[in-house]
Amino acid sequence: MPDPHHAVYEACFTRSLLQLLSGAGRRRLVAFRVDAEGVLLGGAPARYKAQTAFVPWEDITSVVVWQQRMAGPAMDYIGVQRRTGAPALPGMNAGLRPDRTAALAPHVEHDLFLASRPVNRWRLDPEGLQAAVEAFAPGVSVLVHEQRNAK
């Protein structure tokens, strides 16, 4: 029987020099995790507990990778498209209104924007992500949204 933990996908935040020097960097913070129960969206390191959200597989319709164009290089994001009526999630963008998310990323639905995290201070492994989603939720697709008409 295959080891179910083998397919788990987990990415942790890179520790900053300040965290290491202050001793706060001893504990690794999970930025993103896919396992048998669902998907963990880690909060920003400074507000980790308050912003971390767990989404069970029964609430997820797809896992989505997308980009937000900014003045400099684009920022990669990963999120979960959820079933209608799924409970609100905590997170850094939880208080944003639909008009604000549309201004920031017009190619991304409001609910997906709220259920996303930036790929910042950690690395995304697309093959590992795909393998974990296929192992734990074969009916859930991994999608890549591209921003069109960007300036």
Side-chain angles (χ1 to χ4, degrees), residues 136-148:
F136 297 119
V140 173
S141 54
V142 177
L143 307 173
V144 177
H145 284 195
E146 294 184 26
Q147 184 172 359
R148 292 183 172 81

Side-chain angles (χ1 to χ4, degrees), residues 36-38 54-61 82-84 86 137 140:
E37 304 301 315
F54 174 76
V55 185
W57 285 119
E58 55 268 15
D59 286 351
I60 300 172
T61 59
R82 301 177 313 134
R83 67 170 173 78
T84 303
V140 173

Side-chain angles (χ1 to χ4, degrees), residues 108-131:
V108 175
E109 295 175 24
H110 175 70
D111 289 336
L112 174 58
F113 192 104
L114 299 182
S116 294
R117 299 297 189 266
V119 180
N120 186 16
R121 296 186 54 221
W122 62 280
R123 296 183 70 151
L124 178 64
D125 170 17
E127 291 81 19
L129 170 65
Q130 185 70 46

Side-chain angles (χ1 to χ4, degrees), residues 14-145:
T14 303
R15 297 176 213 164
S16 71
L17 183 58
L18 178 64
Q19 287 173 310
L20 293 172
L21 292 175
S22 71
R26 284 189 215 116
R27 195 176 111 236
R28 300 220 30 150
L29 298 178
V30 175
F32 185 81
R33 179 180 170 93
V34 175
D35 62 24
E37 304 301 315
V39 173
L40 178 87
L41 303 167
R47 302 218 35 219
Y48 188 76
K49 283 186 179 183
Q51 294 179 350
T52 296
F54 174 76
V55 185
W57 285 119
E58 55 268 15
D59 286 351
I60 300 172
T61 59
S62 61
V63 176
V64 183
V65 179
W66 57 278
Q67 285 190 333
Q68 180 183 13
R69 303 241 189 252
M70 301 186 295
M75 173 70 71
D76 290 330
Y77 282 78
I78 187 161
V80 290
Q81 191 74 55
R82 301 177 313 134
R83 67 170 173 78
T84 303
L89 298 175
M92 59 199 83
N93 298 320
L96 292 180
R97 296 185 328 258
D99 61 322
R100 184 69 181 129
T101 60
L104 292 169
H107 62 297
V108 175
E109 295 175 24
H110 175 70
D111 289 336
L112 174 58
F113 192 104
L114 299 182
S116 294
R117 299 297 189 266
V119 180
N120 186 16
R121 296 186 54 221
W122 62 280
R123 296 183 70 151
L124 178 64
D125 170 17
E127 291 81 19
L129 170 65
Q130 185 70 46
V133 172
E134 286 175 1
F136 297 119
V140 173
S141 54
V142 177
L143 307 173
V144 177
H145 284 195

